[in-house]
Amino acid sequence: MVEKISVAEARKPESIGRQVILQGWVRTRRDSKAGFSFLELNDGSSLGNIQVIAGQDLDNYQTEIKRLTAGSSVTVRGEVRQSPGRGQATEVHATSITVHGWADSERYPLQKKRHSFEFLRTIAHLRPRTNTFGAVARVRNCVCHSIHQFFQEEGFLYVHTPIITASDCEGAGEMFQVTTLDLGKLAQTGSPPDFSLDFFDRPSYLTVSGQLEAEAFACALGKVYTFGPTFRAENSNTSRHLAEFWMVEPEMAFFELDQNMDLAERLLKRIFQDVLARCGEDMKFFNQRIDPTALETLEQIVASRFVRLSYTEAMDLLGRCGERFEFPTRWGCDLQAEHERYLTEKHFRCPVILFDYPRSIKPFYMRLNDDGRTVRAMDVLVPKVGEIIGGSQREERLEVLEERMREQGLNPDDYWWYLDLRRYGTVPHSGFGLGLERLVQFITGMGNIRDVIPFPRTPGNAEF
Ligand code: ATP
Ligand code: MN
């Protein structure tokens, strides 16, 4: 029997003796003087290739096989045998090879030499064919699978919150507007746009977060999560910001901040454990090529407890630590990246959950503490990447929430439906947002967030 199997499958010693069909792309070809060739074949199922041995008995050996170059696509039929070579358990002895597509070696950009990540961003449609981007794609897939598994096992309901919205969750702007108004025509007439004529009869935007809508579902169904694309028009060209990114947002009725922190810690550890167990080969690659501490960091975190520290305690610590920061710390100001790095990389050397931030630097929906100065916010900070999760216990008291909106220049009337959740059967509840790309960045050690999403959207960048 001949079976179509993946390269990953064919690489396992259990496959020895099987008659198989493999389909993929040639990474390299080497010819031996003895009249046969070695092809390294990859189909994306694993980082490692399989070695295919093609002899001159193949009818297209001279005409085609000896012309195969990196990037060509083939179907190989043959038998999996034990490999005498080092570093691989198996190899495939081909009985036939069909060439589907050639890749002109004069022009195909992915030749043997290693390319910079900057260059690979200019060929984002081809970079999935490289070792690094294949490994990132597999780890990212594993992380998503693990996220869904975790929440499903914990009894969460997966809800889909809208991508187009008329409410601004952060109350901070930086949103992409969605419109069908004719901008060219508007510019010619010079008159201000009349949004009552727009598609949704009002200004509308791409969502910056599904939280507000998730709250509506949590306040009926208990524990829910949304997991989808999120958009921020922040014009920041950093290695940690994208204009389009994916966010996991659990929202739980009857959860207070401590339970929220427990959930975040359990979720992250579960993901790290799954990646270590399921992506061993890819993680070893990241450890060798990208970040020599990648594996050790994850293993250590899975076994440790996250440090929990109030914002005020963190400010005291940073003020007294004797480190020279570019931005001095002051109570009431947000932490800078250098402060986050000091806490996670130098002082505690592990993830840190900061909580109870000043009310003035956090959004209106975070629950006000009895001290009147701080809110029940929590940020999870990790080494290298900094903030990976932002969350809070939500303000469930109607009057306090309205007051906080006004304080931040928002009109409570615009949020009438959100306030209804407090008018009818309000409950303490909590949630957070975990940025998928920051998480994959942290796990893999990849330095730039643009290299952990298939087609990054950043200022000036949306060609592919
Ligand atoms: P930062 O201060 O790092 O810009 P934020 O406080 O604006 O982030 P939140 O609104 O708390 O971010 O969003 C929740 C999570 O979403 C963050 O902890 C982060 O993991 C992720 N995130 C936020 N903005 C971006 C972005 N522009 N690109 C990628 N991930 C992001
Ligand atoms: Mn945040």
Side-chain angles (χ1 to χ4, degrees):
M1 197 179 62
V2 185
E3 294 166 280
K4 151 96 204 208
I5 65 171
S6 67
V7 166
E9 189 74 21
R11 291 172 65 213
K12 294 180 183 159
E14 301 92 90
S15 293
I16 290 169
R18 290 171 80 179
Q19 303 295 324
V20 300
I21 297 174
L22 297 173
Q23 300 185 298
W25 292 265
V26 173
R27 284 288 175 85
T28 58
R29 192 198 80 235
R30 236 169 3 97
D31 301 325
S32 96
K33 290 193 197 77
F36 55 88
S37 302
F38 299 101
L39 305 176
E40 290 285 328
L41 188 71
N42 192 285
D43 66 357
S45 56
S46 64
L47 181 85
N49 309 319
I50 188 130
Q51 177 166 284
V52 175
I53 294 163
Q56 54 192 349
D57 50 315
L58 299 178
D59 52 18
N60 59 350
Y61 183 73
Q62 293 299 340
T63 53
E64 293 191 321
I65 305 306
K66 287 195 77 170
R67 289 170 46 218
L68 283 173
T69 52
S72 347
S73 50
V74 293
T75 292
V76 174
R77 283 160 205 273
E79 183 181 312
V80 182
R81 301 211 189 138
Q82 184 167 8
S83 173
R86 266 178 297 140
Q88 67 218 16
T90 66
E91 60 192 24
V92 167
H93 289 247
T95 51
S96 86
I97 296 178
T98 309
V99 180
H100 299 283
W102 301 95
D104 180 354
S105 59
E106 296 289 304
R107 303 182 61 191
Y108 184 59
L110 296 175
Q111 301 298 333
K112 239 181 165 178
K113 78 177 174 75
R114 256 157 91 181
H115 298 286
S116 72
F117 293 144
E118 287 77 12
F119 170 72
L120 290 173
R121 272 173 230 143
T122 69
I123 49 165
H125 59 306
L126 295 176
R127 67 179 187 168
R129 302 174 183 211
T130 63
N131 283 335
T132 305
F133 289 89
V136 167
R138 283 183 297 272
V139 168
R140 188 179 162 111
N141 172 69
C142 173
V143 168
C144 295
H145 184 200
S146 181
I147 287 168
H148 281 298
Q149 270 190 318
F150 174 84
F151 284 119
Q152 294 296 327
E153 286 166 18
E154 296 244 350
F156 281 66
L157 205 73
Y158 179 30
V159 299
H160 301 99
T161 49
I163 286 175
I164 301 176
T165 172
S167 55
D168 173 353
C169 179
E170 302 294 316
E174 301 188 327
M175 302 180 84
F176 289 101
Q177 193 158 355
V178 174
T179 184
T180 50
L181 294 175
D182 186 333
L183 298 181
K185 218 147 127 204
L186 275 175
Q188 277 170 12
T189 62
S191 50
D194 178 357
F195 288 110
S196 70
L197 301 176
D198 203 352
F199 192 91
F200 299 105
D201 302 344
R202 69 191 65 209
S204 46
Y205 308 90
L206 294 179
T207 186
V208 294
S209 159
Q211 179 200 321
L212 302 192
E213 294 89 351
E215 283 187 51
F217 273 70
C219 292
L221 301 166
K223 293 190 287 186
V224 304
Y225 69 109
T226 140
F227 186 4
T230 312
F231 306 86
R232 304 224 174 146
E234 47 200 348
N235 206 349
S236 46
N237 262 306
T238 78
S239 60
R240 308 184 308 150
H241 289 89
L242 291 163
E244 176 181 299
F245 63 99
W246 284 65
M247 188 150 58
V248 193
E249 294 176 276
E251 193 69 38
M252 299 75 65
F254 307 105
F255 266 50
E256 303 199 350
L257 194 70
D258 285 329
Q259 295 164 286
N260 203 21
M261 292 194 229
D262 291 344
L263 185 81
E265 183 168 342
R266 269 209 318 285
L267 170 65
L268 289 175
K269 286 179 176 173
R270 164 65 186 271
I271 296 168
F272 299 154
Q273 247 164 348
D274 285 347
V275 169
L276 287 169
R278 300 173 186 170
C279 300
E281 190 182 28
D282 293 320
M283 284 308 302
K284 217 171 120 195
F285 171 82
F286 289 119
N287 206 65
Q288 277 168 0
R289 294 292 188 82
I290 306 293
D291 173 4
T293 65
L295 276 173
E296 172 196 337
T297 306
L298 293 189
E299 281 159 2
Q300 217 177 310
I301 288 177
V302 167
S304 74
R305 246 188 86 71
F306 294 8
V307 168
R308 298 182 189 187
L309 198 68
S310 75
Y311 168 91
T312 303
E313 289 170 315
M315 282 298 155
D316 285 348
L317 193 160
L318 290 166
R320 284 187 285 102
C321 70
E323 187 85 1
R324 290 180 74 89
F325 295 118
E326 188 186 341
F327 299 92
T329 52
R330 216 183 62 226
W331 201 97
C333 293
D334 220 343
L335 276 80
Q336 300 289 329
E338 54 175 344
H339 307 137
E340 297 179 351
R341 295 189 75 134
Y342 177 79
L343 292 174
T344 56
E345 292 172 19
K346 276 200 169 156
H347 192 84
F348 294 113
R349 300 172 148 275
C350 72
V352 176
I353 310 184
L354 292 187
F355 59 92
D356 287 351
Y357 280 73
R359 66 191 283 175
S360 55
I361 57 171
K362 288 293 182 186
F364 67 87
Y365 52 73
M366 298 191 174
R367 193 180 197 280
L368 191 62
N369 277 311
D370 291 342
D371 64 10
R373 305 203 307 155
T374 59
V375 290
R376 299 244 80 187
M378 59 170 235
D379 278 3
V380 180
L381 313 177
V382 294
K384 292 173 281 189
V385 176
E387 181 190 327
I388 196 168
I389 285 179
S392 67
Q393 182 169 337
R394 316 308 187 188
E395 183 55 76
E396 84 282 13
R397 297 162 295 183
L398 180 64
E399 292 74 26
V400 183
L401 186 56
E402 286 177 328
E403 183 47 41
R404 289 272 290 147
M405 284 181 169
R406 280 191 285 267
E407 168 186 316
Q408 302 205 347
L410 301 172
N411 182 356
D413 293 343
D414 294 341
Y415 292 84
W416 65 272
W417 66 266
Y418 185 69
L419 293 171
D420 266 1
L421 306 175
R422 279 70 180 169
R423 285 191 186 100
Y424 311 121
T426 192
V427 289
H429 62 289
S430 301
F432 59 80
L434 163 61
L436 176 65
E437 288 75 19
R438 296 245 178 115
L439 176 62
V440 176
Q441 236 190 315
F442 174 67
I443 291 173
T444 57
M446 293 292 286
N448 196 310
I449 198 164
R450 296 161 202 226
D451 299 329
V452 297
I453 188 166
F455 296 95
R457 266 78 185 103
T458 51
N461 235 316
E463 187 181 8
F464 36 37

PDB file of all heavy atoms in Angstrom, residues 219-244:
ATOM      1  N   CYS A 219     -21.799  38.876  31.454  1.00  0.00           N
ATOM      2  CA  CYS A 219     -22.849  39.228  32.407  1.00  0.00           C
ATOM      3  C   CYS A 219     -24.150  38.496  32.091  1.00  0.00           C
ATOM      4  O   CYS A 219     -25.230  38.932  32.490  1.00  0.00           O
ATOM      5  CB  CYS A 219     -23.044  40.738  32.452  1.00  0.00           C
ATOM      6  SG  CYS A 219     -21.616  41.561  33.186  1.00  0.00           S
ATOM      7  N   ALA A 220     -24.057  37.434  31.332  1.00  0.00           N
ATOM      8  CA  ALA A 220     -25.212  36.582  31.063  1.00  0.00           C
ATOM      9  C   ALA A 220     -24.792  35.118  31.076  1.00  0.00           C
ATOM     10  O   ALA A 220     -25.533  34.249  31.503  1.00  0.00           O
ATOM     11  CB  ALA A 220     -25.810  36.903  29.699  1.00  0.00           C
ATOM     12  N   LEU A 221     -23.564  34.864  30.617  1.00  0.00           N
ATOM     13  CA  LEU A 221     -23.148  33.483  30.396  1.00  0.00           C
ATOM     14  C   LEU A 221     -21.987  33.056  31.286  1.00  0.00           C
ATOM     15  O   LEU A 221     -21.521  31.928  31.186  1.00  0.00           O
ATOM     16  CB  LEU A 221     -22.789  33.304  28.915  1.00  0.00           C
ATOM     17  CG  LEU A 221     -23.969  33.623  27.970  1.00  0.00           C
ATOM     18  CD1 LEU A 221     -23.507  33.775  26.545  1.00  0.00           C
ATOM     19  CD2 LEU A 221     -25.045  32.552  28.076  1.00  0.00           C
ATOM     20  N   GLY A 222     -21.512  33.962  32.122  1.00  0.00           N
ATOM     21  CA  GLY A 222     -20.497  33.588  33.106  1.00  0.00           C
ATOM     22  C   GLY A 222     -19.075  33.809  32.645  1.00  0.00           C
ATOM     23  O   GLY A 222     -18.530  34.895  32.772  1.00  0.00           O
ATOM     24  N   LYS A 223     -18.475  32.760  32.082  1.00  0.00           N
ATOM     25  CA  LYS A 223     -17.076  32.880  31.653  1.00  0.00           C
ATOM     26  C   LYS A 223     -17.010  32.793  30.134  1.00  0.00           C
ATOM     27  O   LYS A 223     -17.420  31.789  29.555  1.00  0.00           O
ATOM     28  CB  LYS A 223     -16.239  31.752  32.274  1.00  0.00           C
ATOM     29  CG  LYS A 223     -16.114  31.852  33.790  1.00  0.00           C
ATOM     30  CD  LYS A 223     -15.096  30.880  34.341  1.00  0.00           C
ATOM     31  CE  LYS A 223     -15.595  29.450  34.302  1.00  0.00           C
ATOM     32  NZ  LYS A 223     -14.659  28.501  34.963  1.00  0.00           N
ATOM     33  N   VAL A 224     -16.510  33.836  29.506  1.00  0.00           N
ATOM     34  CA  VAL A 224     -16.428  33.843  28.045  1.00  0.00           C
ATOM     35  C   VAL A 224     -15.039  34.314  27.613  1.00  0.00           C
ATOM     36  O   VAL A 224     -14.283  34.871  28.414  1.00  0.00           O
ATOM     37  CB  VAL A 224     -17.492  34.783  27.425  1.00  0.00           C
ATOM     38  CG1 VAL A 224     -18.892  34.398  27.889  1.00  0.00           C
ATOM     39  CG2 VAL A 224     -17.215  36.240  27.767  1.00  0.00           C
ATOM     40  N   TYR A 225     -14.705  34.072  26.354  1.00  0.00           N
ATOM     41  CA  TYR A 225     -13.488  34.671  25.808  1.00  0.00           C
ATOM     42  C   TYR A 225     -13.708  35.001  24.350  1.00  0.00           C
ATOM     43  O   TYR A 225     -14.474  34.338  23.657  1.00  0.00           O
ATOM     44  CB  TYR A 225     -12.262  33.771  25.986  1.00  0.00           C
ATOM     45  CG  TYR A 225     -12.245  32.496  25.165  1.00  0.00           C
ATOM     46  CD1 TYR A 225     -11.365  32.344  24.096  1.00  0.00           C
ATOM     47  CD2 TYR A 225     -13.089  31.432  25.471  1.00  0.00           C
ATOM     48  CE1 TYR A 225     -11.329  31.166  23.356  1.00  0.00           C
ATOM     49  CE2 TYR A 225     -13.057  30.254  24.734  1.00  0.00           C
ATOM     50  CZ  TYR A 225     -12.182  30.129  23.685  1.00  0.00           C
ATOM     51  OH  TYR A 225     -12.148  28.961  22.953  1.00  0.00           O
ATOM     52  N   THR A 226     -13.072  36.069  23.934  1.00  0.00           N
ATOM     53  CA  THR A 226     -13.058  36.378  22.515  1.00  0.00           C
ATOM     54  C   THR A 226     -11.597  36.330  22.063  1.00  0.00           C
ATOM     55  O   THR A 226     -10.671  36.544  22.844  1.00  0.00           O
ATOM     56  CB  THR A 226     -13.746  37.733  22.190  1.00  0.00           C
ATOM     57  OG1 THR A 226     -12.998  38.412  21.199  1.00  0.00           O
ATOM     58  CG2 THR A 226     -13.848  38.613  23.391  1.00  0.00           C
ATOM     59  N   PHE A 227     -11.386  35.997  20.813  1.00  0.00           N
ATOM     60  CA  PHE A 227     -10.031  35.811  20.298  1.00  0.00           C
ATOM     61  C   PHE A 227     -10.086  36.214  18.830  1.00  0.00           C
ATOM     62  O   PHE A 227     -10.630  35.491  18.008  1.00  0.00           O
ATOM     63  CB  PHE A 227      -9.642  34.334  20.448  1.00  0.00           C
ATOM     64  CG  PHE A 227      -8.205  34.018  20.088  1.00  0.00           C
ATOM     65  CD1 PHE A 227      -7.300  35.010  19.727  1.00  0.00           C
ATOM     66  CD2 PHE A 227      -7.752  32.710  20.137  1.00  0.00           C
ATOM     67  CE1 PHE A 227      -5.989  34.698  19.407  1.00  0.00           C
ATOM     68  CE2 PHE A 227      -6.438  32.375  19.815  1.00  0.00           C
ATOM     69  CZ  PHE A 227      -5.564  33.376  19.454  1.00  0.00           C
ATOM     70  N   GLY A 228      -9.579  37.397  18.545  1.00  0.00           N
ATOM     71  CA  GLY A 228      -9.685  37.853  17.170  1.00  0.00           C
ATOM     72  C   GLY A 228      -8.774  39.025  16.879  1.00  0.00           C
ATOM     73  O   GLY A 228      -7.998  39.454  17.736  1.00  0.00           O
ATOM     74  N   PRO A 229      -8.875  39.556  15.662  1.00  0.00           N
ATOM     75  CA  PRO A 229      -8.023  40.669  15.281  1.00  0.00           C
ATOM     76  C   PRO A 229      -8.448  41.978  15.942  1.00  0.00           C
ATOM     77  O   PRO A 229      -9.630  42.188  16.202  1.00  0.00           O
ATOM     78  CB  PRO A 229      -8.192  40.753  13.763  1.00  0.00           C
ATOM     79  CG  PRO A 229      -9.481  40.097  13.472  1.00  0.00           C
ATOM     80  CD  PRO A 229      -9.736  39.103  14.553  1.00  0.00           C
ATOM     81  N   THR A 230      -7.473  42.807  16.208  1.00  0.00           N
ATOM     82  CA  THR A 230      -7.653  44.062  16.918  1.00  0.00           C
ATOM     83  C   THR A 230      -6.815  45.102  16.194  1.00  0.00           C
ATOM     84  O   THR A 230      -5.765  44.763  15.646  1.00  0.00           O
ATOM     85  CB  THR A 230      -7.130  43.890  18.355  1.00  0.00           C
ATOM     86  OG1 THR A 230      -7.662  42.685  18.888  1.00  0.00           O
ATOM     87  CG2 THR A 230      -7.511  45.024  19.249  1.00  0.00           C
ATOM     88  N   PHE A 231      -7.276  46.334  16.195  1.00  0.00           N
ATOM     89  CA  PHE A 231      -6.615  47.344  15.363  1.00  0.00           C
ATOM     90  C   PHE A 231      -6.267  48.584  16.161  1.00  0.00           C
ATOM     91  O   PHE A 231      -7.091  49.081  16.936  1.00  0.00           O
ATOM     92  CB  PHE A 231      -7.546  47.719  14.207  1.00  0.00           C
ATOM     93  CG  PHE A 231      -8.003  46.521  13.428  1.00  0.00           C
ATOM     94  CD1 PHE A 231      -9.113  45.799  13.836  1.00  0.00           C
ATOM     95  CD2 PHE A 231      -7.295  46.080  12.324  1.00  0.00           C
ATOM     96  CE1 PHE A 231      -9.532  44.667  13.143  1.00  0.00           C
ATOM     97  CE2 PHE A 231      -7.702  44.945  11.622  1.00  0.00           C
ATOM     98  CZ  PHE A 231      -8.825  44.244  12.035  1.00  0.00           C
ATOM     99  N   ARG A 232      -5.078  49.075  15.988  1.00  0.00           N
ATOM    100  CA  ARG A 232      -4.697  50.320  16.659  1.00  0.00           C
ATOM    101  C   ARG A 232      -3.908  51.176  15.675  1.00  0.00           C
ATOM    102  O   ARG A 232      -2.890  50.733  15.136  1.00  0.00           O
ATOM    103  CB  ARG A 232      -3.851  50.041  17.898  1.00  0.00           C
ATOM    104  CG  ARG A 232      -4.579  49.098  18.843  1.00  0.00           C
ATOM    105  CD  ARG A 232      -4.515  49.503  20.274  1.00  0.00           C
ATOM    106  NE  ARG A 232      -5.359  48.601  21.042  1.00  0.00           N
ATOM    107  CZ  ARG A 232      -5.112  48.197  22.271  1.00  0.00           C
ATOM    108  NH1 ARG A 232      -4.041  48.659  22.909  1.00  0.00           N
ATOM    109  NH2 ARG A 232      -5.936  47.390  22.898  1.00  0.00           N
ATOM    110  N   ALA A 233      -4.398  52.390  15.500  1.00  0.00           N
ATOM    111  CA  ALA A 233      -3.754  53.284  14.538  1.00  0.00           C
ATOM    112  C   ALA A 233      -2.643  54.086  15.194  1.00  0.00           C
ATOM    113  O   ALA A 233      -2.359  55.203  14.775  1.00  0.00           O
ATOM    114  CB  ALA A 233      -4.799  54.204  13.920  1.00  0.00           C
ATOM    115  N   GLU A 234      -2.020  53.503  16.234  1.00  0.00           N
ATOM    116  CA  GLU A 234      -0.943  54.251  16.881  1.00  0.00           C
ATOM    117  C   GLU A 234       0.252  54.294  15.935  1.00  0.00           C
ATOM    118  O   GLU A 234       0.651  53.294  15.373  1.00  0.00           O
ATOM    119  CB  GLU A 234      -0.562  53.642  18.233  1.00  0.00           C
ATOM    120  CG  GLU A 234      -0.386  52.130  18.217  1.00  0.00           C
ATOM    121  CD  GLU A 234      -0.507  51.529  19.616  1.00  0.00           C
ATOM    122  OE1 GLU A 234      -0.488  52.287  20.587  1.00  0.00           O
ATOM    123  OE2 GLU A 234      -0.619  50.299  19.712  1.00  0.00           O
ATOM    124  N   ASN A 235       0.785  55.484  15.782  1.00  0.00           N
ATOM    125  CA  ASN A 235       1.857  55.654  14.812  1.00  0.00           C
ATOM    126  C   ASN A 235       3.206  55.343  15.454  1.00  0.00           C
ATOM    127  O   ASN A 235       4.141  56.112  15.364  1.00  0.00           O
ATOM    128  CB  ASN A 235       1.828  57.084  14.276  1.00  0.00           C
ATOM    129  CG  ASN A 235       2.440  57.150  12.892  1.00  0.00           C
ATOM    130  OD1 ASN A 235       3.053  56.189  12.433  1.00  0.00           O
ATOM    131  ND2 ASN A 235       2.274  58.278  12.231  1.00  0.00           N
ATOM    132  N   SER A 236       3.273  54.201  16.123  1.00  0.00           N
ATOM    133  CA  SER A 236       4.522  53.897  16.816  1.00  0.00           C
ATOM    134  C   SER A 236       5.275  52.806  16.075  1.00  0.00           C
ATOM    135  O   SER A 236       4.774  51.704  15.914  1.00  0.00           O
ATOM    136  CB  SER A 236       4.236  53.471  18.258  1.00  0.00           C
ATOM    137  OG  SER A 236       3.181  52.538  18.294  1.00  0.00           O
ATOM    138  N   ASN A 237       6.444  53.168  15.627  1.00  0.00           N
ATOM    139  CA  ASN A 237       7.293  52.222  14.917  1.00  0.00           C
ATOM    140  C   ASN A 237       8.198  51.502  15.886  1.00  0.00           C
ATOM    141  O   ASN A 237       9.397  51.731  15.906  1.00  0.00           O
ATOM    142  CB  ASN A 237       8.128  52.964  13.879  1.00  0.00           C
ATOM    143  CG  ASN A 237       7.489  52.869  12.508  1.00  0.00           C
ATOM    144  OD1 ASN A 237       7.206  51.772  12.034  1.00  0.00           O
ATOM    145  ND2 ASN A 237       7.234  54.011  11.901  1.00  0.00           N
ATOM    146  N   THR A 238       7.625  50.636  16.714  1.00  0.00           N
ATOM    147  CA  THR A 238       8.465  49.940  17.683  1.00  0.00           C
ATOM    148  C   THR A 238       8.532  48.457  17.314  1.00  0.00           C
ATOM    149  O   THR A 238       7.848  48.006  16.403  1.00  0.00           O
ATOM    150  CB  THR A 238       7.886  50.040  19.111  1.00  0.00           C
ATOM    151  OG1 THR A 238       6.801  49.100  19.226  1.00  0.00           O
ATOM    152  CG2 THR A 238       7.373  51.428  19.407  1.00  0.00           C
ATOM    153  N   SER A 239       9.342  47.726  18.050  1.00  0.00           N
ATOM    154  CA  SER A 239       9.456  46.292  17.790  1.00  0.00           C
ATOM    155  C   SER A 239       8.364  45.514  18.521  1.00  0.00           C
ATOM    156  O   SER A 239       8.351  44.292  18.493  1.00  0.00           O
ATOM    157  CB  SER A 239      10.833  45.809  18.241  1.00  0.00           C
ATOM    158  OG  SER A 239      10.972  46.055  19.625  1.00  0.00           O
ATOM    159  N   ARG A 240       7.434  46.225  19.190  1.00  0.00           N
ATOM    160  CA  ARG A 240       6.398  45.546  19.964  1.00  0.00           C
ATOM    161  C   ARG A 240       4.987  45.978  19.589  1.00  0.00           C
ATOM    162  O   ARG A 240       4.024  45.587  20.250  1.00  0.00           O
ATOM    163  CB  ARG A 240       6.588  45.811  21.468  1.00  0.00           C
ATOM    164  CG  ARG A 240       7.992  45.507  21.984  1.00  0.00           C
ATOM    165  CD  ARG A 240       8.067  45.696  23.470  1.00  0.00           C
ATOM    166  NE  ARG A 240       7.551  47.011  23.842  1.00  0.00           N
ATOM    167  CZ  ARG A 240       6.967  47.282  24.999  1.00  0.00           C
ATOM    168  NH1 ARG A 240       6.823  46.342  25.888  1.00  0.00           N
ATOM    169  NH2 ARG A 240       6.529  48.494  25.259  1.00  0.00           N
ATOM    170  N   HIS A 241       4.852  46.820  18.575  1.00  0.00           N
ATOM    171  CA  HIS A 241       3.525  47.316  18.193  1.00  0.00           C
ATOM    172  C   HIS A 241       3.188  47.026  16.737  1.00  0.00           C
ATOM    173  O   HIS A 241       4.005  47.272  15.849  1.00  0.00           O
ATOM    174  CB  HIS A 241       3.424  48.824  18.420  1.00  0.00           C
ATOM    175  CG  HIS A 241       3.384  49.207  19.864  1.00  0.00           C
ATOM    176  ND1 HIS A 241       4.527  49.457  20.587  1.00  0.00           N
ATOM    177  CD2 HIS A 241       2.336  49.360  20.721  1.00  0.00           C
ATOM    178  CE1 HIS A 241       4.178  49.759  21.830  1.00  0.00           C
ATOM    179  NE2 HIS A 241       2.864  49.709  21.943  1.00  0.00           N
ATOM    180  N   LEU A 242       1.985  46.534  16.527  1.00  0.00           N
ATOM    181  CA  LEU A 242       1.448  46.352  15.193  1.00  0.00           C
ATOM    182  C   LEU A 242       0.164  47.161  15.081  1.00  0.00           C
ATOM    183  O   LEU A 242      -0.488  47.444  16.087  1.00  0.00           O
ATOM    184  CB  LEU A 242       1.114  44.874  14.964  1.00  0.00           C
ATOM    185  CG  LEU A 242       2.281  43.906  14.862  1.00  0.00           C
ATOM    186  CD1 LEU A 242       1.804  42.472  15.062  1.00  0.00           C
ATOM    187  CD2 LEU A 242       2.979  44.046  13.507  1.00  0.00           C
ATOM    188  N   ALA A 243      -0.217  47.495  13.851  1.00  0.00           N
ATOM    189  CA  ALA A 243      -1.498  48.196  13.662  1.00  0.00           C
ATOM    190  C   ALA A 243      -2.649  47.188  13.665  1.00  0.00           C
ATOM    191  O   ALA A 243      -3.783  47.529  13.955  1.00  0.00           O
ATOM    192  CB  ALA A 243      -1.484  48.972  12.356  1.00  0.00           C
ATOM    193  N   GLU A 244      -2.335  45.942  13.327  1.00  0.00           N
ATOM    194  CA  GLU A 244      -3.328  44.865  13.360  1.00  0.00           C
ATOM    195  C   GLU A 244      -2.696  43.705  14.112  1.00  0.00           C
ATOM    196  O   GLU A 244      -1.646  43.216  13.707  1.00  0.00           O
ATOM    197  CB  GLU A 244      -3.673  44.449  11.922  1.00  0.00           C
ATOM    198  CG  GLU A 244      -4.623  43.277  11.823  1.00  0.00           C
ATOM    199  CD  GLU A 244      -4.909  42.908  10.361  1.00  0.00           C
ATOM    200  OE1 GLU A 244      -5.445  43.747   9.626  1.00  0.00           O
ATOM    201  OE2 GLU A 244      -4.564  41.791   9.965  1.00  0.00           O
TER     202      GLU A 244
END
